[in-house]
Amino acid sequence: MTRSRPVSPLRYAYGTNGLADLRLDDALGLLADLGYAGVGLTLDHMHLDPLAPDLAARTAKVARALEQHGLTVTVETGARYVLDARRKHHPTLLDPDAQARAARTDLLLKAVRVAADLGAHAVHCFSGQLPPGTTPDAGWARLADGIGPVLDSAGAAGVPVAIEPEPGHLLEDLAGFHRLRTALGSPEPLGVTLDIGHCQCLEPQSPADCVRSAAEWLRHVQIEDMRRGVHTHLPFGEGEIDFPPVLAALREVGYTGLVTVELPRDSHAGPDRAAASLDFLTTAEATAAKAATMPQEDAPC
């Protein structure tokens, strides 16, 4: 039985990289039953493998399942070993080898086609870490060259590309996003995936202020708890983030995309984490909404 929840301006989703022990059909059914509005679908060997045969036909099957369950979707490309079975997240758009970089670009082009076929509201990607012996300037040039064809394809398909600032990567913060955006001439298809935990981890602004400063380019949001200076995705309540102000900021800027819970290390407890996460977020949002309607005290003279 699907659990009823109050109508909310925010649409919560859960990432399939945190449900890796479930078949995709089972994961989608679980999220629908819990009351989620959508899913962050990571293209991986266990969930819509982008390298296996008949991708278009398998994508059409997933589209039917999403429609059946009433779920919207973001396509994510952060699978750990989908391109290289021995090196996590390799190759990247920064790889010294041109053919390796091309493999990542090809994966992203496939992701754009999948996203278009699923009616996804964004395609997520990341820069990757700067390889040893590569100067930052060379890395930024490779990133711009590699993502260019992806943006062209995304523009034609009408699907935004939302690059994620990732701690430890070349593009690790909002300043890095703006560097890339400016270098490319602010192309319309390029937006940002804002991970709220990453904001807590390393951004100079608070997570809520990060939402406000990124609002113009905000195409996808990932959310989890985290501590300052420690890049570990934590279940809600185990980190340092004050969530009602973050959710209030998302409502304030009029964000309408998915807010996707990102707990990739918690697949062993995926169903329980998914249930607890939605309960936490809806409670935190209700707290934020209540605070917004309370009269403010007069400022001291």
Side-chain angles (χ1 to χ4, degrees):
M1 178 183 299
T2 301
R3 296 161 65 180
S4 61
R5 294 184 179 276
V7 175
S8 166
L10 297 181
R11 299 189 298 156
Y12 297 112
Y14 199 91
T16 58
N17 60 2
L19 297 170
D21 295 300
L22 274 66
R23 298 177 182 86
L24 183 56
D25 285 345
D26 292 337
L28 298 180
L30 169 73
L31 298 181
D33 286 347
L34 289 174
Y36 278 93
V39 58
L41 175 59
T42 297
L43 303 183
D44 207 346
H45 64 89
M46 80 293 285
H47 294 151
L48 196 54
D49 187 343
L51 304 185
D54 302 320
L55 179 59
R58 290 183 289 111
T59 300
K61 181 180 178 182
V62 173
R64 291 192 293 271
L66 290 168
E67 182 177 9
Q68 174 188 346
H69 291 298
L71 296 171
T72 53
V73 63
T74 298
V75 172
E76 307 211 18
T77 60
R80 294 183 178 95
Y81 297 100
V82 70
L83 291 178
D84 188 325
R86 300 188 180 191
R87 296 187 304 161
K88 180 181 175 181
H89 291 156
H90 280 273
T92 73
L93 295 175
L94 311 182
D95 200 286
D97 182 81
Q99 288 187 329
R101 296 197 300 273
R104 175 61 63 173
T105 295
D106 185 61
L107 175 66
L108 296 178
L109 290 170
K110 288 181 178 179
V112 168
R113 292 195 292 272
V114 168
D117 289 345
L118 295 180
H121 78 81
V123 173
H124 153 278
C125 67
F126 54 83
S127 70
Q129 296 178 336
L130 189 68
T134 300
T135 66
D137 285 347
W140 286 107
R142 289 174 190 167
L143 178 58
D145 288 344
I147 204 169
V150 182
L151 294 173
D152 290 342
S153 178
V159 180
V161 172
I163 193 164
E164 179 185 6
E166 182 79 21
H169 284 206
L170 177 68
L171 196 162
E172 70 171 357
D173 53 21
L174 285 171
F177 165 72
H178 289 301
R179 174 172 177 165
L180 176 66
R181 178 182 62 81
T182 302
L184 292 173
S186 299
E188 180 64 27
L190 181 63
V192 68
T193 291
L194 189 68
D195 187 303
I196 300 303
H198 295 174
C199 296
Q200 176 70 21
C201 180
L202 53 68
E203 293 283 358
Q205 298 177 301
S206 71
D209 284 339
C210 286
V211 169
R212 296 184 182 95
S213 66
E216 181 178 348
W217 303 277
L218 198 57
R219 301 295 179 265
H220 183 43
V221 172
Q222 295 175 347
I223 194 165
E224 69 286 315
D225 218 339
M226 202 168 287
R227 300 188 181 101
R228 185 71 178 173
V230 183
H231 183 205
T232 300
H233 291 232
L234 299 173
F236 297 107
E238 295 187 14
E240 300 170 341
I241 299 175
D242 184 12
F243 283 96
V246 175
L247 303 179
L250 288 168
R251 294 174 58 155
E252 173 190 321
V253 303
Y255 175 70
T256 59
L258 292 177
V259 180
T260 304
V261 179
E262 188 79 0
L263 292 174
R265 300 182 182 182
D266 286 64
S267 283
H268 65 284
D272 290 340
R273 289 282 190 262
S277 295
L278 191 55
D279 286 341
F280 180 95
L281 289 169
T282 52
T283 299
E285 186 178 357
T287 299
K290 182 177 180 180
T293 61
M294 293 177 62
Q296 296 183 357
E297 296 181 0
D298 292 337
C301 297

